[in-house]
Amino acid sequence: MWCGEKNGIQSISKSRGGWTTKLHMLAANERTAIAFHLSGGGCHDAPQGRVLLQKQGAVHTNISLLMDRAYEGDNTRDLALDLGYGLCVPPKSNRKGPWGYDHDLYKRRNEVERLFRRLKAYRR
């Protein structure tokens, strides 16, 4: 689940491009981050997304999760549904049993991308 390092779990890893870190975020809209998690750049996204969802816990209202395709694995989908979230994520192109999703709702995922842009503008 975690990318292990020589001196313990760290949120940095080396790739061909150099040292990298990934930021995984749970956001309400383009200006409100709810939770985030750092991981090494070589780690897969789906386990890190599950960590965020588990920290957030169950919801009791109808909230749709707009997730990137990197988080669309069966384990992540099952966890999100168990916690009470509605899912809006397109299936990967190599899925044997693809599912339908709300295209218009998925277009709002760019709000999270705008939040990442704002964070990068103030990274100093």
Side-chain angles (χ1 to χ4, degrees):
M1 184 161 124
W2 295 93
C3 287
E5 293 289 329
K6 185 168 129 181
N7 297 323
I9 297 171
Q10 299 178 9
S11 294
I12 192 166
S13 65
K14 189 153 180 143
S15 68
R16 290 185 299 163
W19 294 101
T20 58
T21 300
K22 285 185 184 177
L23 175 65
H24 308 273
M25 185 181 311
L26 192 60
N29 57 32
E30 64 186 79
R31 295 185 179 269
T32 310
I34 297 172
F36 69 92
H37 181 73
L38 291 174
S39 70
C43 296
H44 195 276
D45 293 338
Q48 312 308 323
R50 287 193 295 272
V51 169
L52 277 175
L53 288 176
Q54 288 170 346
K55 284 183 183 178
Q56 190 62 28
V59 293
H60 303 292
T61 59
N62 188 11
I63 297 176
S64 293
L65 271 178
L66 307 176
M67 299 188 300
D68 190 51
R69 279 189 172 115
Y71 298 98
E72 69 95 29
D74 291 334
N75 294 337
T76 306
R77 288 175 47 84
D78 292 341
L79 175 64
L81 292 172
D82 289 344
L83 293 174
Y85 291 98
L87 291 178
C88 183
V89 57
K92 288 186 176 180
S93 61
N94 61 353
R95 271 275 178 184
K96 294 199 190 252
W99 54 82
Y101 67 98
D102 187 352
H103 294 275
D104 293 329
L105 182 60
Y106 188 71
K107 288 179 185 178
R108 291 189 56 206
R109 199 178 71 80
N110 71 56
E111 294 177 8
V112 178
E113 299 300 332
R114 285 189 243 157
L115 180 58
F116 276 110
R117 183 191 54 81
R118 275 193 176 78
L119 287 173
K120 286 180 179 182
Y122 298 104
R123 62 182 164 196
R124 285 186 231 156

